[in-house]
Amino acid sequence: MSFKSKLINDLKVITGDRYIITAKWNKQQYSKGWRYGEGDALAVAKPGTLLEIWKILQICVQADVIIIMQAANTGLTGGSTPDGDDYDRPIVIISTMRIDVIQIIDQGKQIIGFSGSTLFGLENKLAPYGREPHSVIGSSCIGASIVGGVCNNSGGALVKRGPAYTELSIYAQINLKGELEIVNDLGIELGDTPENILTNLQNKSYTKDQIKFPNKLASDNEYHKRVRDVDASTPARFNADGRRLNGASGCAGKIAVFAVRLDTYPIPKRQQVFYVGTNSSYVLGKIRKDILSKFQHLPTSGEYLHRDCYDAAKKYSKDTFVAIDKMGPSFIPKLFDIKRKVDLVSEKFRFLPDNFSDKLMQFLSNFWPNHLPKRMEQYRNQYEHHWVIEMSDKGVDEAKIYFEKFFKENEGNYFECTENEAKKAILHRFVAASAVGRYHVLNKKKSGAMMSMDIAFPRNEKDWFEKLPSEIDDLLEMKLYYGHLFCHVLHQNYIVKKGVDADALKEKLLKTYDARGAEYPAEHNVGHEYFAKPTLSKFYKKLDPTNGFNPGIGRTSKLKYWK
Ligand SMILES: Cc1cc2nc3c(=O)[nH]c(=O)nc-3n(C[C@H](O)[C@H](O)[C@H](O)COP(=O)(O)OP(=O)(O)OC[C@H]3O[C@@H](n4cnc5c(N)ncnc54)[C@H](O)[C@@H]3O)c2cc1C
């Protein structure tokens, strides 16, 4: 029996035939990134329990194959899929989405999220306790997982809570001798052997007394202070921040995480979204400084969109918006699965165009009526810069008084959103992340490469809105700006003009960010797109000395033992 057949047979013994995927047709959903990167894998394994993950890991380590851990695969920098064909060992992807258990502990003040549990699922699970998740990110509404967020130090929208972070997790690691080990840092006494530990956790076979409260963080509990420090010359948060790299947190798949333990937060009693428009980026800078430094109550979130991005999202993300709005986030993974399959079928028929599904969805979306509320559309015509600010409880009145006075003295305006407007304004901002990709697919023949930058600017940066020198600006066909403005995390997406050397241009762009004291990536993690700074690569090497998990991440070596 060949090496490949034996490995696949061994894996099938663990999960059953159905959950070991080897056909190209079915693997693509797992081997291609959302926006960036793709490569082949020998198989995709879809375990149904924590113990099955452990057994699959044992087989893979024994067979000396590379392991790529994957959750919802919404990462934007290719960090959850293989990338290219220059690996020195075959690859097995472990997709954990079947293992979606969430256990509530300490009367809902904390949760244990298994590797495939989602932020959306957590929101539902916590609602009866009057509590909500530690983090909300743009991709919460398309099924992003809790663990993927922690592994990526995902930042997201919540101004008070900062990046996803915990020091309490349980994971498997390959040591320097090439042996698989379990590390139980969950703060719960679960037994001595991996089999006992994982079975007890899966079945919630532990008592209240076995749950310990060690002096370890289950969230970034200082972030609210950092974000308020608007005079600091460093960014508030970024992926290579050594303060927030610990075990599962920021691991980028260099270990196999079974579960994480996280804090939760009370649901506010009152919430209000304010929609702000202005033609001056300095007006937004002033509001940001005032709110962060003078308000007693921090905002829940503050999501920025430039008018060009507003327009691009209105046109190119309309189908995603409508699908989420009408069918809910749980439909989106199915929709994207269908989309990938349509593209694979269409590749076989020469008369159908490339990226047939995108072209079809774009065409169909033209028939759907305008999905954006009237008042947002009026602001679109009046203002270049748009900011969707959500306040809660006493912060609502604080903001009302502030905005009323502020816009008597400053250019721009605001309105208080109705519930429907608030939902649509936030969704419009979140689906904006997919607009650049759609535009690029539809305009491939006439445009150059796509570049997506995820930048954390210093907290004291006044010129937060980019002004590029003409030698760079003239080479760009499209620029889309959006982001988490209170945190100074901006997503800057560009399409370069046809014929332009995108790599050289990217280097120049990165130099402009360096000159401004920025850090990158801010929250999407390095994936295969960005170089890992020494703080990150040292962390990866310590977690994974044999380079058996997700090699090549942060453009590091793909070879065994990091050769
Ligand atoms: C429309 C859209 C909006 C987005 N908005 C935001 C945003 O606002 N803020 C933000 O920070 N990000 C955002 N993202 C990026 C992305 O969604 C986040 O990084 C998200 O947290 C990834 O979760 P996931 O479940 O998809 O993880 P995946 O993409 O599957 O994995 C992410 C990383 O975690 C590793 N990993 C996954 N599971 C395990 C495990 N069990 N053990 C070890 N490693 C593991 C993977 O190897 C990979 O390196 C957005 C993406 C999209 C498509």
Side-chain angles (χ1 to χ4, degrees):
M1 197 188 279
S2 71
F3 166 82
K4 183 177 169 185
S5 313
K6 180 174 180 327
L7 182 76
I8 288 168
N9 275 351
D10 289 349
L11 294 175
K12 283 182 176 172
V13 171
I14 309 297
T15 60
D17 291 7
R18 195 174 153 201
Y19 294 113
I20 302 299
I21 301 168
T22 52
K24 182 182 174 201
W25 169 269
N26 291 321
K27 273 190 299 189
Q28 213 189 30
Q29 172 184 353
Y30 308 92
S31 55
K32 191 171 177 190
W34 180 279
R35 191 195 272 164
Y36 187 97
E38 68 179 293
D40 199 14
L42 197 140
V44 178
K46 296 179 68 182
T49 63
L50 301 177
L51 189 56
E52 282 185 13
I53 300 187
W54 173 257
K55 288 181 179 170
I56 291 170
L57 292 172
Q58 281 180 314
I59 290 172
C60 291
V61 171
Q62 181 76 34
D64 196 19
V65 298
I66 286 169
I67 301 155
I68 298 186
M69 298 301 295
Q70 184 180 99
N73 193 15
T74 68
L76 291 171
T77 51
S80 18
T81 56
D83 185 62
D85 54 8
D86 53 344
Y87 292 91
D88 60 345
R89 291 150 287 168
I91 297 171
V92 168
I93 298 173
I94 303 182
S95 165
T96 60
M97 293 311 281
R98 288 178 64 216
I99 312 172
D100 59 358
V101 174
I102 296 171
Q103 295 173 355
I104 304 277
I105 56 173
D106 195 20
Q107 294 157 331
K109 289 198 192 97
Q110 287 193 328
I111 60 104
I112 313 273
F114 285 19
S115 46
S117 55
T118 64
L119 286 168
F120 179 66
L122 181 56
E123 218 176 295
N124 289 338
K125 185 104 185 184
L126 284 174
Y129 295 84
R131 301 189 71 88
E132 57 183 23
H134 60 288
S135 78
V136 169
I137 51 182
S139 48
S140 298
C141 58
I142 52 171
S145 72
I146 298 172
V147 168
V150 171
C151 297
N152 256 356
N153 278 141
S154 287
L158 301 180
V159 181
K160 296 176 210 177
R161 297 175 206 166
Y165 181 72
T166 184
E167 292 163 5
L168 300 168
S169 65
I170 176 164
Y171 57 88
Q173 188 169 29
I174 305 172
N175 67 20
L176 193 57
K177 288 189 221 145
E179 299 155 346
L180 193 68
E181 290 174 343
I182 194 160
V183 178
N184 179 10
D185 276 343
L186 207 52
I188 303 181
E189 291 168 357
L190 292 163
D192 295 324
T193 65
E195 288 76 9
N196 275 342
I197 291 172
L198 295 172
T199 310
N200 286 336
L201 179 59
Q202 182 88 43
N203 299 334
K204 212 178 177 191
S205 301
Y206 54 85
T207 61
K208 236 170 130 186
D209 296 339
Q210 285 167 279
I211 305 175
K212 306 294 166 192
F213 290 87
N215 189 19
K216 288 187 175 181
L217 298 182
S219 59
D220 185 349
N221 65 355
E222 300 169 340
Y223 187 74
H224 61 105
K225 284 190 215 139
R226 286 183 71 78
V227 79
R228 276 187 183 280
D229 189 0
V230 287
D231 295 320
S233 58
T234 53
R237 58 177 168 89
F238 52 100
N239 285 121
D241 183 356
R243 298 164 46 254
R244 292 294 171 251
L245 299 173
N246 187 309
S249 299
C251 75
K254 297 303 288 176
I255 51 178
V257 179
F258 297 105
V260 292
R261 176 169 162 185
L262 291 162
D263 291 334
T264 68
Y265 295 82
I267 297 178
K269 298 201 170 36
R270 194 155 68 106
Q271 315 210 42
Q272 178 62 53
V273 170
F274 297 86
Y275 198 99
V276 173
T278 171
N279 286 309
S280 163
S281 61
Y282 295 104
V283 164
L284 295 193
K286 199 160 183 266
I287 296 174
R288 173 180 175 271
K289 196 167 179 189
D290 284 346
I291 292 185
L292 290 180
S293 58
K294 295 187 192 145
F295 271 35
Q296 223 183 328
H297 306 278
L298 277 177
T300 305
S301 66
E303 294 295 306
Y304 168 79
L305 261 132
H306 183 266
R307 181 195 274 150
D308 293 345
C309 186
Y310 179 108
D311 290 346
K314 182 180 168 188
K315 186 166 177 188
Y316 299 110
S317 310
K318 185 179 183 182
D319 47 323
T320 312
F321 181 107
V322 173
I324 296 173
D325 192 37
K326 300 292 165 206
M327 282 170 278
S330 55
F331 178 69
I332 293 296
K334 283 180 221 135
L335 180 73
F336 279 90
D337 191 20
I338 298 168
K339 190 177 160 311
R340 282 181 178 116
K341 288 191 171 136
V342 168
D343 285 334
L344 279 177
V345 174
S346 66
E347 272 174 25
K348 295 203 166 79
F349 296 98
R350 277 223 202 117
F351 62 91
L352 290 174
D354 287 350
N355 300 106
F356 177 61
S357 67
D358 282 290
K359 288 173 183 161
L360 181 69
M361 282 161 86
Q362 189 62 38
F363 174 72
L364 292 176
S365 71
N366 292 330
F367 297 97
W368 197 268
N370 186 354
H371 56 295
L372 296 177
K374 231 186 204 158
R375 287 205 282 182
M376 274 172 67
E377 289 286 80
Q378 282 163 359
Y379 266 48
R380 183 261 163 236
N381 292 336
Q382 275 175 280
Y383 301 115
E384 186 185 345
H385 302 283
H386 297 229
W387 201 5
V388 185
I389 299 178
E390 184 173 6
M391 301 294 303
S392 55
D393 294 331
K394 288 182 184 156
V396 175
D397 296 325
E398 213 176 353
K400 275 184 191 191
I401 295 165
Y402 172 80
F403 284 132
E404 206 177 310
K405 183 162 181 288
F406 183 87
F407 284 111
K408 277 187 188 140
E409 295 155 8
N410 292 278
E411 186 273 333
N413 211 344
Y414 79 103
F415 65 86
E416 291 180 29
C417 293
T418 62
E419 217 173 291
N420 182 47
E421 284 170 335
K423 188 177 137 211
K424 291 194 168 165
I426 291 169
L427 187 54
H428 185 56
R429 155 61 191 94
F430 284 155
V431 296
S434 56
V436 70
R438 173 65 63 79
Y439 175 88
H440 192 234
V441 161
L442 298 180
N443 294 282
K444 242 182 195 159
K445 283 200 183 123
K446 73 170 187 66
S447 309
M450 171 175 90
M451 297 193 291
S452 53
M453 306 292 190
D454 166 37
I455 315 291
F457 289 107
R459 282 163 281 180
N460 64 356
E461 167 70 284
K462 289 197 176 69
D463 286 316
W464 62 272
F465 188 70
E466 188 164 68
K467 289 185 201 94
L468 287 169
S470 60
E471 78 256 24
I472 295 181
D473 206 41
D474 292 346
L475 303 179
L476 298 171
E477 175 178 313
M478 179 187 244
K479 294 178 286 182
L480 300 181
Y481 296 100
Y482 56 97
H484 314 294
L485 191 54
F486 282 115
C487 305
H488 261 187
V489 168
L490 266 290
H491 303 311
Q492 315 200 144
N493 296 337
Y494 314 91
I495 304 281
V496 305
K497 287 185 180 160
K498 200 167 176 73
V500 169
D501 178 348
D503 289 337
L505 186 63
K506 188 170 174 180
E507 286 310 307
K508 280 190 190 163
L509 267 172
L510 294 179
K511 281 197 182 124
T512 68
Y513 306 144
D514 291 337
R516 294 165 66 189
E519 289 280 352
Y520 46 87
E523 60 173 10
H524 292 162
N525 218 347
V526 283
H528 288 280
E529 202 176 357
Y530 293 88
F531 282 95
K533 291 202 169 163
T535 327
L536 265 186
S537 55
K538 267 191 213 148
F539 176 61
Y540 296 158
K541 283 182 187 164
K542 198 170 151 217
L543 286 180
D544 184 21
T546 71
N547 211 11
F549 283 107
N550 213 1
I553 214 75
R555 302 207 166 187
T556 54
S557 165
K558 283 184 176 158
L559 306 179
K560 193 159 179 190
Y561 287 109
W562 302 87
K563 279 182 191 137

